[in-house]
Amino acid sequence: MTMSDDLNIIAIYGFPIEHSLSPVMHNAGFNELKLNFKYIPVKVAPSDLKEAISALKALNFKGANLTVPHKEEVIDYLDEISEDAFLIGAVNTIINSDGRLLGSNTDCKGFIAALKEAGVKDISRKKVVLLGAGGASKAACVGLLREKVKELVIVNRTVRKAELLQENYKKPFKKSKIRVLPLDCEALRTEFSDCDILVNTTSVGLKNDCIKLPIDSLKSDALVYDMVYNPPKTKLLKSAEKHGLKIENGLNMLLFQGVLGFEVWTNKKAPVSVMKKALFDAAYK
Ligand code: ATR
């Protein structure tokens, strides 16, 4: 079945999905380029994911995004996945290429693009301390390791989870320097003293909470990056700002992962500033 001969549908599957900002961002881009594309949010319960993925073929949708909680399980239902998606263990973008569903993960490149937008120049000369070892952390790890980050320190409350990431990435990124530390404020002091970029990938901050960290030990030119974008300034970012540090939240990462998907589906250069305005207006209206 085909929705219409020339209308290209992109869906985002999530559970819940009401709060997704992606439809506004992508539809603004499609409108700007006058493309016959439409981006729709679809609430898909975990038990329906397999059928929802096969529906992409049946309805001839052009592609899809996946958000929580579907990014990992979806891999089982796709025809092919990219190397990044394999390394991260998650897919956020699908293209339907003549009935074959190809999955990729644009979060890692989106994260790197956001770091560059925040003024980071040569990642291969940076020491990065990464808080968290969940899905968001894996995307950041793969992005940073692909850029040959000088040193990556993964810090997590559950140390074993960080060690598993270290073990997984040692082999594909042979020359990398990856270390693991427990989430301990005092132990982090020395670590912070030569850290160039501190990245929070945990969900802490979403509810106006905060992990206890020795922010005062960071160098004055360090960047503090929080993947949380709502609130726009988490307690972590406020504290870093108070210490005179550069700060950046996760909204540009959402923008750039979307830009990459847009370009894959449409084969056109994305109108980034239009998409950014729509996204930021929707997020912070
Ligand atoms: P996501 O896919 O968004 O990364 P996740 O896979 O559930 O989410 O991972 C959440 C991360 O936030 C984990 O690293 C988690 O630490 P644990 O592995 O120890 O659970 C971290 N996290 C969540 N709440 C936390 C808290 N209150 N303090 C410290 N770390 C926390």
Side-chain angles (χ1 to χ4, degrees):
M1 186 180 150
T2 310
M3 295 292 286
S4 145
D5 276 347
D6 51 5
L7 176 62
N8 296 287
I9 308 256
I10 310 290
I12 178 164
Y13 291 168
F15 192 78
I17 196 61
E18 295 76 21
H19 302 297
S20 172
L21 298 171
S22 294
V24 162
M25 167 173 70
H26 283 291
N27 285 324
F30 296 150
N31 288 341
E32 174 69 15
L33 298 190
K34 302 193 168 44
L35 299 173
N36 207 1
F37 274 71
K38 188 92 192 151
Y39 190 104
I40 55 167
V42 184
K43 185 172 167 183
V44 175
S47 57
D48 293 328
L49 182 64
K50 187 176 180 186
E51 282 185 79
I53 293 299
S54 86
L56 295 174
K57 288 187 186 182
L59 301 175
N60 200 27
F61 280 16
K62 184 72 189 165
N65 276 139
L66 287 310
T67 186
V68 179
H70 301 314
K71 289 185 184 186
E72 286 92 11
E73 194 194 330
V74 70
I75 290 179
D76 293 342
Y77 313 131
L78 300 174
D79 296 303
E80 212 177 292
I81 63 166
S82 71
E83 203 182 321
D84 280 353
F86 174 75
L87 289 170
I88 297 164
V91 160
N92 75 331
T93 303
I94 298 173
I95 181 161
N96 181 353
S97 174
D98 297 326
R100 282 179 59 77
L101 299 182
L102 315 178
S104 61
N105 190 310
T106 64
D107 285 333
C108 56
K109 288 204 181 88
F111 170 63
I112 296 300
L115 284 186
K116 290 182 179 167
E117 184 78 4
V120 175
K121 293 260 162 12
D122 187 355
I123 292 172
S124 68
R125 295 166 68 140
K126 307 293 183 204
K127 170 178 170 175
V128 178
V129 176
L130 204 62
L131 306 174
S137 172
K138 287 186 208 164
C141 283
V142 171
L144 291 165
L145 292 167
R146 281 223 182 284
E147 295 285 317
K148 300 185 170 57
V149 65
K150 188 173 94 183
E151 188 178 355
L152 178 59
V153 184
I154 309 172
V155 178
N156 201 42
R157 182 176 59 181
T158 312
V159 178
R160 186 63 200 137
K161 270 170 73 179
E163 285 171 348
L164 285 173
L165 294 197
Q166 183 188 35
E167 285 162 23
N168 277 347
Y169 296 138
K170 239 175 14 202
K171 211 164 157 207
F173 300 101
K174 283 192 185 62
K175 290 187 177 154
S176 61
K177 184 173 177 194
I178 310 173
R179 290 164 48 233
V180 164
L181 281 175
L183 192 53
D184 176 279
C185 186
E186 282 317 302
L188 286 175
R189 264 191 195 283
T190 39
E191 217 52 62
F192 274 23
S193 63
D194 62 347
C195 163
D196 298 295
I197 309 171
L198 171 66
V199 182
N200 175 43
T201 72
T202 76
S203 46
V204 178
L206 273 173
K207 295 184 191 122
N208 211 21
D209 42 0
C210 192
I211 296 174
K212 196 163 178 284
L213 295 168
I215 295 297
D216 58 328
S217 307
L218 286 166
K219 296 188 294 172
S220 59
D221 63 347
L223 167 70
V224 178
Y225 185 99
D226 200 330
M227 279 196 192
V228 174
Y229 56 80
N230 195 4
K233 275 186 202 167
T234 56
K235 280 191 173 162
L236 169 64
L237 292 188
K238 280 185 184 159
S239 155
E241 193 175 46
K242 220 162 65 191
H243 284 87
L245 305 175
K246 284 178 286 180
I247 60 167
E248 179 74 21
N249 74 19
L251 201 54
N252 269 335
M253 176 176 169
L254 181 61
L255 170 69
F256 290 120
Q257 66 74 35
V259 162
L260 290 161
F262 185 102
E263 293 182 347
V264 168
W265 299 316
T266 64
N267 230 348
K268 299 251 183 306
K269 185 119 191 51
V272 179
S273 54
V274 170
M275 291 170 72
K276 179 170 184 170
K277 183 174 184 324
L279 176 66
F280 278 63
D281 284 353
Y284 301 136
K285 62 180 174 254

